[in-house]
Short mmCIF file of all heavy atoms in Angstrom, two decimals:
data_model
loop_
_atom_site.label_atom_id
_atom_site.label_comp_id
_atom_site.label_asym_id
_atom_site.label_seq_id
_atom_site.Cartn_x
_atom_site.Cartn_y
_atom_site.Cartn_z
N MET A 27 0.85 -1.19 0.00
CA MET A 27 0.00 0.00 0.00
C MET A 27 0.89 1.24 0.00
O MET A 27 1.86 1.31 0.74
CB MET A 27 -0.90 0.01 1.25
CG MET A 27 -1.82 1.20 1.32
SD MET A 27 -2.75 1.22 2.87
CE MET A 27 -3.62 -0.36 2.76
N LEU A 28 0.54 2.18 -0.84
CA LEU A 28 1.30 3.41 -0.89
C LEU A 28 0.56 4.47 -0.08
O LEU A 28 -0.60 4.77 -0.33
CB LEU A 28 1.44 3.86 -2.35
CG LEU A 28 2.35 5.05 -2.61
CD1 LEU A 28 3.78 4.77 -2.16
CD2 LEU A 28 2.35 5.38 -4.10
N VAL A 29 1.23 4.99 0.91
CA VAL A 29 0.61 5.94 1.83
C VAL A 29 1.34 7.27 1.77
O VAL A 29 2.56 7.31 1.83
CB VAL A 29 0.64 5.42 3.28
CG1 VAL A 29 0.02 6.43 4.24
CG2 VAL A 29 -0.08 4.09 3.37
N THR A 30 0.60 8.33 1.64
CA THR A 30 1.19 9.65 1.74
C THR A 30 0.68 10.27 3.03
O THR A 30 -0.48 10.67 3.13
CB THR A 30 0.81 10.54 0.54
OG1 THR A 30 1.20 9.88 -0.65
CG2 THR A 30 1.51 11.87 0.62
N ALA A 31 1.52 10.30 4.04
CA ALA A 31 1.10 10.77 5.35
C ALA A 31 0.85 12.27 5.35
O ALA A 31 -0.14 12.75 5.87
CB ALA A 31 2.14 10.40 6.40
N GLN A 32 1.76 12.99 4.74
CA GLN A 32 1.64 14.45 4.68
C GLN A 32 2.57 14.93 3.58
O GLN A 32 3.43 14.18 3.14
CB GLN A 32 2.02 15.06 6.03
CG GLN A 32 3.39 14.63 6.52
CD GLN A 32 3.65 15.11 7.94
OE1 GLN A 32 3.63 16.29 8.23
NE2 GLN A 32 3.91 14.16 8.83
N PRO A 33 2.42 16.17 3.13
CA PRO A 33 3.28 16.65 2.05
C PRO A 33 4.76 16.49 2.40
O PRO A 33 5.19 16.90 3.47
CB PRO A 33 2.90 18.13 1.94
CG PRO A 33 1.48 18.18 2.40
CD PRO A 33 1.41 17.15 3.51
N GLY A 34 5.51 15.86 1.51
CA GLY A 34 6.94 15.69 1.73
C GLY A 34 7.30 14.54 2.63
O GLY A 34 8.47 14.33 2.95
N ALA A 35 6.31 13.76 3.09
CA ALA A 35 6.60 12.62 3.96
C ALA A 35 5.70 11.46 3.57
O ALA A 35 4.60 11.33 4.07
CB ALA A 35 6.40 12.98 5.42
N ALA A 36 6.17 10.64 2.65
CA ALA A 36 5.41 9.49 2.20
C ALA A 36 5.98 8.22 2.80
O ALA A 36 7.13 8.18 3.22
CB ALA A 36 5.44 9.39 0.67
N GLU A 37 5.16 7.17 2.85
CA GLU A 37 5.67 5.88 3.28
C GLU A 37 4.94 4.78 2.53
O GLU A 37 3.83 4.98 2.03
CB GLU A 37 5.55 5.68 4.78
CG GLU A 37 4.15 5.48 5.29
CD GLU A 37 4.15 5.20 6.80
OE1 GLU A 37 4.88 5.89 7.53
OE2 GLU A 37 3.42 4.30 7.23
N VAL A 38 5.58 3.62 2.47
CA VAL A 38 5.00 2.44 1.84
C VAL A 38 4.86 1.39 2.91
O VAL A 38 5.73 1.24 3.76
CB VAL A 38 5.94 1.91 0.73
CG1 VAL A 38 5.41 0.62 0.14
CG2 VAL A 38 6.10 2.94 -0.37
N SER A 39 3.74 0.65 2.89
CA SER A 39 3.59 -0.44 3.85
C SER A 39 3.44 -1.75 3.10
O SER A 39 2.84 -1.81 2.03
CB SER A 39 2.39 -0.20 4.77
OG SER A 39 1.18 -0.20 4.04
N CYS A 40 3.98 -2.81 3.71
CA CYS A 40 3.90 -4.15 3.13
C CYS A 40 2.47 -4.67 3.31
O CYS A 40 1.91 -4.60 4.40
CB CYS A 40 4.89 -5.06 3.85
SG CYS A 40 4.80 -6.78 3.31
N ASP A 41 1.91 -5.20 2.21
CA ASP A 41 0.54 -5.72 2.28
C ASP A 41 0.46 -7.09 2.94
O ASP A 41 -0.62 -7.62 3.15
CB ASP A 41 -0.06 -5.79 0.88
CG ASP A 41 -0.27 -4.40 0.32
OD1 ASP A 41 -0.85 -3.55 1.01
OD2 ASP A 41 0.16 -4.15 -0.83
N ARG A 42 1.62 -7.67 3.26
CA ARG A 42 1.61 -8.99 3.89
C ARG A 42 1.89 -8.90 5.40
O ARG A 42 1.16 -9.46 6.19
CB ARG A 42 2.65 -9.91 3.24
CG ARG A 42 2.58 -11.33 3.76
CD ARG A 42 3.61 -12.22 3.08
NE ARG A 42 3.39 -12.34 1.65
CZ ARG A 42 2.58 -13.23 1.10
NH1 ARG A 42 1.90 -14.07 1.85
NH2 ARG A 42 2.46 -13.30 -0.20
N CYS A 43 2.92 -8.16 5.78
CA CYS A 43 3.30 -8.14 7.20
C CYS A 43 3.12 -6.78 7.85
O CYS A 43 3.20 -6.67 9.06
CB CYS A 43 4.73 -8.62 7.37
SG CYS A 43 5.98 -7.42 6.88
N GLY A 44 2.87 -5.74 7.05
CA GLY A 44 2.63 -4.43 7.62
C GLY A 44 3.88 -3.61 7.88
O GLY A 44 3.79 -2.51 8.42
N ALA A 45 5.03 -4.14 7.49
CA ALA A 45 6.26 -3.36 7.64
C ALA A 45 6.17 -2.08 6.82
O ALA A 45 5.47 -2.04 5.80
CB ALA A 45 7.46 -4.19 7.18
N THR A 46 6.82 -1.05 7.26
CA THR A 46 6.76 0.22 6.54
C THR A 46 8.15 0.67 6.12
O THR A 46 9.16 0.33 6.74
CB THR A 46 6.12 1.33 7.40
OG1 THR A 46 6.87 1.48 8.60
CG2 THR A 46 4.68 0.98 7.74
N PHE A 47 8.17 1.43 5.04
CA PHE A 47 9.40 2.04 4.55
C PHE A 47 9.15 3.53 4.41
O PHE A 47 8.14 3.95 3.84
CB PHE A 47 9.79 1.44 3.20
CG PHE A 47 10.96 2.13 2.55
CD1 PHE A 47 12.26 1.76 2.87
CD2 PHE A 47 10.75 3.15 1.65
CE1 PHE A 47 13.33 2.42 2.29
CE2 PHE A 47 11.83 3.81 1.06
CZ PHE A 47 13.12 3.44 1.39
N ARG A 48 10.06 4.31 4.95
CA ARG A 48 9.95 5.76 4.83
C ARG A 48 11.26 6.33 4.31
O ARG A 48 12.31 5.74 4.54
CB ARG A 48 9.65 6.40 6.19
CG ARG A 48 8.38 5.90 6.82
CD ARG A 48 8.13 6.58 8.14
NE ARG A 48 7.03 5.91 8.85
CZ ARG A 48 6.56 6.32 10.02
NH1 ARG A 48 7.08 7.37 10.60
NH2 ARG A 48 5.57 5.68 10.59
N ALA A 49 11.17 7.43 3.64
CA ALA A 49 12.37 8.12 3.18
C ALA A 49 12.17 9.61 3.42
O ALA A 49 11.15 10.18 3.01
CB ALA A 49 12.64 7.84 1.71
N ALA A 50 13.11 10.21 4.08
CA ALA A 50 13.00 11.63 4.40
C ALA A 50 12.88 12.46 3.12
O ALA A 50 13.66 12.28 2.18
CB ALA A 50 14.21 12.08 5.20
N GLY A 51 11.89 13.30 3.09
CA GLY A 51 11.72 14.19 1.95
C GLY A 51 11.07 13.56 0.74
O GLY A 51 10.85 14.23 -0.26
N ALA A 52 10.76 12.26 0.81
CA ALA A 52 10.16 11.59 -0.34
C ALA A 52 8.68 11.95 -0.44
O ALA A 52 8.00 12.16 0.56
CB ALA A 52 10.32 10.08 -0.21
N ASP A 53 8.19 12.02 -1.67
CA ASP A 53 6.76 12.18 -1.89
C ASP A 53 6.26 10.96 -2.65
O ASP A 53 7.01 10.00 -2.86
CB ASP A 53 6.44 13.49 -2.63
CG ASP A 53 7.13 13.56 -3.98
OD1 ASP A 53 7.48 12.50 -4.55
OD2 ASP A 53 7.32 14.68 -4.48
N ARG A 54 5.01 10.96 -3.06
CA ARG A 54 4.46 9.76 -3.68
C ARG A 54 5.09 9.44 -5.02
O ARG A 54 4.96 8.32 -5.52
CB ARG A 54 2.94 9.89 -3.81
CG ARG A 54 2.47 11.02 -4.68
CD ARG A 54 0.95 11.09 -4.69
NE ARG A 54 0.36 9.84 -5.12
CZ ARG A 54 -0.43 9.07 -4.38
NH1 ARG A 54 -0.78 9.45 -3.19
NH2 ARG A 54 -0.92 7.95 -4.85
N GLU A 55 5.83 10.36 -5.59
CA GLU A 55 6.53 10.09 -6.85
C GLU A 55 7.89 9.44 -6.62
O GLU A 55 8.39 8.74 -7.49
CB GLU A 55 6.72 11.40 -7.63
CG GLU A 55 5.42 12.12 -7.98
CD GLU A 55 4.55 11.28 -8.90
OE1 GLU A 55 5.11 10.59 -9.78
OE2 GLU A 55 3.32 11.31 -8.73
N THR A 56 8.48 9.68 -5.48
CA THR A 56 9.85 9.23 -5.26
C THR A 56 9.96 8.13 -4.21
O THR A 56 11.00 7.49 -4.11
CB THR A 56 10.76 10.40 -4.84
OG1 THR A 56 10.23 11.00 -3.65
CG2 THR A 56 10.83 11.45 -5.95
N ILE A 57 8.91 7.91 -3.43
CA ILE A 57 9.02 6.93 -2.36
C ILE A 57 9.19 5.51 -2.91
O ILE A 57 9.95 4.72 -2.37
CB ILE A 57 7.79 7.01 -1.40
CG1 ILE A 57 7.95 6.08 -0.21
CG2 ILE A 57 6.48 6.71 -2.13
CD1 ILE A 57 9.05 6.45 0.74
N TRP A 58 8.48 5.19 -3.98
CA TRP A 58 8.56 3.80 -4.46
C TRP A 58 9.91 3.45 -5.07
O TRP A 58 10.46 2.39 -4.77
CB TRP A 58 7.39 3.49 -5.39
CG TRP A 58 7.39 2.04 -5.76
CD1 TRP A 58 7.55 1.51 -6.99
CD2 TRP A 58 7.27 0.92 -4.85
NE1 TRP A 58 7.55 0.13 -6.90
CE2 TRP A 58 7.38 -0.25 -5.62
CE3 TRP A 58 7.10 0.81 -3.47
CZ2 TRP A 58 7.31 -1.52 -5.04
CZ3 TRP A 58 7.05 -0.46 -2.91
CH2 TRP A 58 7.15 -1.60 -3.69
N PRO A 59 10.46 4.32 -5.94
CA PRO A 59 11.82 4.00 -6.42
C PRO A 59 12.82 3.83 -5.28
O PRO A 59 13.70 2.97 -5.34
CB PRO A 59 12.17 5.23 -7.29
CG PRO A 59 10.85 5.71 -7.79
CD PRO A 59 9.90 5.48 -6.62
N ALA A 60 12.67 4.62 -4.23
CA ALA A 60 13.56 4.49 -3.08
C ALA A 60 13.35 3.15 -2.38
O ALA A 60 14.31 2.49 -1.96
CB ALA A 60 13.32 5.64 -2.11
N ALA A 61 12.09 2.73 -2.26
CA ALA A 61 11.79 1.45 -1.63
C ALA A 61 12.33 0.28 -2.47
O ALA A 61 12.89 -0.67 -1.94
CB ALA A 61 10.29 1.30 -1.41
N GLN A 62 12.14 0.36 -3.80
CA GLN A 62 12.62 -0.71 -4.67
C GLN A 62 14.13 -0.88 -4.56
O GLN A 62 14.64 -2.00 -4.62
CB GLN A 62 12.25 -0.41 -6.13
CG GLN A 62 10.79 -0.68 -6.45
CD GLN A 62 10.50 -0.46 -7.92
OE1 GLN A 62 10.76 0.60 -8.46
NE2 GLN A 62 9.96 -1.46 -8.58
N ALA A 63 14.83 0.22 -4.36
CA ALA A 63 16.28 0.17 -4.21
C ALA A 63 16.67 -0.61 -2.96
O ALA A 63 17.79 -1.10 -2.85
CB ALA A 63 16.86 1.57 -4.17
N GLN A 64 15.73 -0.74 -2.01
CA GLN A 64 15.99 -1.49 -0.77
C GLN A 64 15.40 -2.90 -0.84
O GLN A 64 15.34 -3.60 0.18
CB GLN A 64 15.38 -0.74 0.42
CG GLN A 64 15.96 0.66 0.62
CD GLN A 64 17.45 0.63 0.92
OE1 GLN A 64 17.91 -0.18 1.70
NE2 GLN A 64 18.21 1.51 0.29
N GLY A 65 14.89 -3.30 -2.01
CA GLY A 65 14.43 -4.67 -2.17
C GLY A 65 12.91 -4.83 -2.16
O GLY A 65 12.41 -5.95 -2.24
N TRP A 66 12.18 -3.75 -2.04
CA TRP A 66 10.72 -3.84 -2.09
C TRP A 66 10.26 -4.17 -3.51
O TRP A 66 10.90 -3.77 -4.48
CB TRP A 66 10.10 -2.52 -1.63
CG TRP A 66 10.17 -2.31 -0.15
CD1 TRP A 66 11.32 -2.11 0.58
CD2 TRP A 66 9.09 -2.30 0.78
NE1 TRP A 66 10.99 -1.97 1.91
CE2 TRP A 66 9.63 -2.08 2.06
CE3 TRP A 66 7.70 -2.44 0.65
CZ2 TRP A 66 8.84 -2.01 3.21
CZ3 TRP A 66 6.92 -2.36 1.78
CH2 TRP A 66 7.48 -2.15 3.05
N GLN A 67 9.16 -4.92 -3.59
CA GLN A 67 8.66 -5.34 -4.90
C GLN A 67 7.15 -5.20 -4.95
O GLN A 67 6.49 -5.07 -3.92
CB GLN A 67 9.03 -6.81 -5.17
CG GLN A 67 10.53 -7.06 -5.21
CD GLN A 67 10.85 -8.53 -5.47
OE1 GLN A 67 9.99 -9.30 -5.86
NE2 GLN A 67 12.10 -8.90 -5.25
N THR A 68 6.63 -5.26 -6.19
CA THR A 68 5.19 -5.33 -6.36
C THR A 68 4.85 -6.62 -7.06
O THR A 68 5.66 -7.20 -7.78
CB THR A 68 4.65 -4.18 -7.23
OG1 THR A 68 5.38 -4.13 -8.44
CG2 THR A 68 4.74 -2.85 -6.50
N GLU A 69 3.65 -7.10 -6.87
CA GLU A 69 3.12 -8.20 -7.66
C GLU A 69 1.64 -7.92 -7.90
O GLU A 69 0.97 -7.27 -7.10
CB GLU A 69 3.34 -9.55 -6.99
CG GLU A 69 2.64 -9.71 -5.66
CD GLU A 69 2.89 -11.10 -5.10
OE1 GLU A 69 2.99 -12.05 -5.88
OE2 GLU A 69 2.98 -11.23 -3.87
N ARG A 70 1.14 -8.42 -9.04
CA ARG A 70 -0.23 -8.15 -9.41
C ARG A 70 -1.05 -9.41 -9.22
O ARG A 70 -0.82 -10.43 -9.86
CB ARG A 70 -0.29 -7.67 -10.87
CG ARG A 70 -1.65 -7.15 -11.28
CD ARG A 70 -1.52 -6.49 -12.65
NE ARG A 70 -2.82 -6.12 -13.20
CZ ARG A 70 -3.47 -5.00 -12.88
NH1 ARG A 70 -2.92 -4.15 -12.03
NH2 ARG A 70 -4.64 -4.73 -13.42
N LEU A 71 -2.00 -9.35 -8.29
CA LEU A 71 -2.86 -10.50 -7.99
C LEU A 71 -4.31 -10.02 -7.97
O LEU A 71 -4.63 -9.04 -7.29
CB LEU A 71 -2.51 -11.10 -6.63
CG LEU A 71 -1.15 -11.81 -6.49
CD1 LEU A 71 -0.89 -12.14 -5.04
CD2 LEU A 71 -1.14 -13.07 -7.35
N GLY A 72 -5.16 -10.70 -8.72
CA GLY A 72 -6.57 -10.34 -8.71
C GLY A 72 -6.83 -8.93 -9.22
O GLY A 72 -7.78 -8.29 -8.80
N GLY A 73 -5.96 -8.47 -10.13
CA GLY A 73 -6.15 -7.15 -10.71
C GLY A 73 -5.71 -6.01 -9.80
O GLY A 73 -5.96 -4.86 -10.10
N VAL A 74 -5.04 -6.36 -8.71
CA VAL A 74 -4.60 -5.34 -7.76
C VAL A 74 -3.09 -5.44 -7.57
O VAL A 74 -2.54 -6.54 -7.51
CB VAL A 74 -5.30 -5.53 -6.39
CG1 VAL A 74 -4.80 -4.51 -5.37
CG2 VAL A 74 -6.80 -5.45 -6.56
N TRP A 75 -2.43 -4.31 -7.50
CA TRP A 75 -1.00 -4.31 -7.20
C TRP A 75 -0.80 -4.38 -5.70
O TRP A 75 -1.33 -3.58 -4.95
CB TRP A 75 -0.35 -3.02 -7.74
CG TRP A 75 -0.19 -3.05 -9.22
CD1 TRP A 75 -0.96 -2.39 -10.14
CD2 TRP A 75 0.79 -3.76 -9.97
NE1 TRP A 75 -0.50 -2.67 -11.41
CE2 TRP A 75 0.56 -3.51 -11.34
CE3 TRP A 75 1.85 -4.62 -9.61
CZ2 TRP A 75 1.35 -4.06 -12.34
CZ3 TRP A 75 2.63 -5.17 -10.62
CH2 TRP A 75 2.38 -4.89 -11.96
N TRP A 76 0.03 -5.35 -5.27
CA TRP A 76 0.36 -5.52 -3.86
C TRP A 76 1.81 -5.16 -3.65
O TRP A 76 2.66 -5.46 -4.47
CB TRP A 76 0.12 -6.98 -3.44
CG TRP A 76 -1.28 -7.43 -3.65
CD1 TRP A 76 -1.75 -8.09 -4.75
CD2 TRP A 76 -2.40 -7.25 -2.78
NE1 TRP A 76 -3.09 -8.33 -4.61
CE2 TRP A 76 -3.52 -7.83 -3.41
CE3 TRP A 76 -2.54 -6.67 -1.53
CZ2 TRP A 76 -4.78 -7.83 -2.82
CZ3 TRP A 76 -3.80 -6.67 -0.95
CH2 TRP A 76 -4.90 -7.24 -1.59
N HIS A 77 2.08 -4.55 -2.53
CA HIS A 77 3.44 -4.19 -2.18
C HIS A 77 4.02 -5.21 -1.21
O HIS A 77 3.35 -5.64 -0.28
CB HIS A 77 3.48 -2.80 -1.55
CG HIS A 77 3.08 -1.70 -2.51
ND1 HIS A 77 1.76 -1.37 -2.74
CD2 HIS A 77 3.83 -0.90 -3.31
CE1 HIS A 77 1.73 -0.39 -3.64
NE2 HIS A 77 2.95 -0.08 -4.01
N ARG A 78 5.27 -5.56 -1.46
CA ARG A 78 5.95 -6.56 -0.64
C ARG A 78 7.26 -5.99 -0.12
O ARG A 78 8.07 -5.49 -0.90
CB ARG A 78 6.27 -7.81 -1.49
CG ARG A 78 5.03 -8.51 -2.04
CD ARG A 78 4.34 -9.31 -0.96
NE ARG A 78 3.27 -10.09 -1.53
CZ ARG A 78 1.98 -9.83 -1.32
NH1 ARG A 78 1.62 -8.81 -0.57
NH2 ARG A 78 1.06 -10.58 -1.86
N CYS A 79 7.47 -6.14 1.19
CA CYS A 79 8.75 -5.73 1.75
C CYS A 79 9.80 -6.77 1.37
O CYS A 79 9.46 -7.85 0.90
CB CYS A 79 8.63 -5.58 3.27
SG CYS A 79 8.55 -7.14 4.16
N PRO A 80 11.07 -6.47 1.59
CA PRO A 80 12.13 -7.44 1.22
C PRO A 80 11.95 -8.80 1.88
O PRO A 80 12.26 -9.83 1.29
CB PRO A 80 13.41 -6.75 1.71
CG PRO A 80 13.09 -5.29 1.62
CD PRO A 80 11.63 -5.19 2.03
N ASP A 81 11.43 -8.84 3.11
CA ASP A 81 11.23 -10.12 3.80
C ASP A 81 10.12 -10.95 3.18
O ASP A 81 10.12 -12.17 3.28
CB ASP A 81 10.91 -9.87 5.27
CG ASP A 81 12.13 -9.39 6.05
OD1 ASP A 81 13.25 -9.60 5.58
OD2 ASP A 81 11.92 -8.80 7.12
N CYS A 82 9.13 -10.29 2.57
CA CYS A 82 7.97 -10.99 2.04
C CYS A 82 8.06 -11.23 0.53
O CYS A 82 7.23 -11.95 -0.02
CB CYS A 82 6.70 -10.21 2.35
SG CYS A 82 6.37 -10.08 4.12
N ALA A 83 9.01 -10.63 -0.13
CA ALA A 83 9.13 -10.76 -1.57
C ALA A 83 9.94 -12.00 -1.94
O ALA A 83 10.81 -11.95 -2.78
CB ALA A 83 9.78 -9.51 -2.16
N GLY A 84 9.66 -13.11 -1.26
CA GLY A 84 10.42 -14.33 -1.50
C GLY A 84 9.57 -15.41 -2.10
O GLY A 84 8.62 -15.14 -2.83
N PRO A 85 9.88 -16.68 -1.80
CA PRO A 85 9.20 -17.83 -2.39
C PRO A 85 7.70 -17.88 -2.11
O PRO A 85 6.96 -18.49 -2.87
CB PRO A 85 9.89 -19.03 -1.72
CG PRO A 85 11.23 -18.50 -1.31
CD PRO A 85 11.00 -17.08 -0.95
N ALA A 86 7.23 -17.23 -1.07
CA ALA A 86 5.81 -17.29 -0.71
C ALA A 86 4.98 -16.26 -1.46
O ALA A 86 3.80 -16.11 -1.21
CB ALA A 86 5.63 -17.10 0.79
N ARG A 87 5.60 -15.56 -2.39
CA ARG A 87 4.94 -14.41 -3.00
C ARG A 87 3.79 -14.78 -3.94
O ARG A 87 3.08 -13.90 -4.40
CB ARG A 87 5.97 -13.55 -3.74
CG ARG A 87 6.68 -14.26 -4.84
CD ARG A 87 7.94 -13.50 -5.22
NE ARG A 87 7.63 -12.20 -5.82
CZ ARG A 87 7.50 -12.00 -7.12
NH1 ARG A 87 7.65 -13.02 -7.95
NH2 ARG A 87 7.23 -10.83 -7.61
N LEU A 88 3.60 -16.05 -4.21
CA LEU A 88 2.48 -16.41 -5.09
C LEU A 88 1.17 -16.57 -4.33
O LEU A 88 0.13 -16.74 -4.93
CB LEU A 88 2.80 -17.72 -5.83
CG LEU A 88 3.95 -17.63 -6.82
CD1 LEU A 88 4.19 -18.99 -7.47
CD2 LEU A 88 3.69 -16.58 -7.88
N THR A 89 1.23 -16.48 -3.02
CA THR A 89 0.04 -16.63 -2.21
C THR A 89 -0.56 -15.26 -1.87
O THR A 89 0.15 -14.42 -1.33
CB THR A 89 0.36 -17.36 -0.89
OG1 THR A 89 0.97 -18.60 -1.19
CG2 THR A 89 -0.91 -17.60 -0.08
N PRO A 90 -1.80 -15.04 -2.21
CA PRO A 90 -2.42 -13.75 -1.87
C PRO A 90 -2.44 -13.54 -0.35
O PRO A 90 -2.44 -14.50 0.40
CB PRO A 90 -3.83 -13.88 -2.41
CG PRO A 90 -3.79 -14.98 -3.40
CD PRO A 90 -2.72 -15.92 -2.91
N PRO A 91 -2.46 -12.29 0.06
CA PRO A 91 -2.48 -12.01 1.50
C PRO A 91 -3.76 -12.48 2.16
O PRO A 91 -4.79 -12.57 1.51
CB PRO A 91 -2.36 -10.49 1.59
CG PRO A 91 -2.83 -10.00 0.27
CD PRO A 91 -2.44 -11.07 -0.73
ZN1 LIG B 115 6.39 -7.82 4.56
#
């Protein structure tokens, strides 16, 4: 899930475990590239994009949350 808490402070949360990623000064345009650089991934299931933290983007990723 992509969350924009306030202007200039965005965060991403894992749709499986709820872990969050934040980057100082990031907005909704820049938070995801920053997260991907740390191993975060997306997968498309049931027509919806799901966000996965590095811990959850492994072999179990074919199972919907
Ligand atoms: Zn996770």
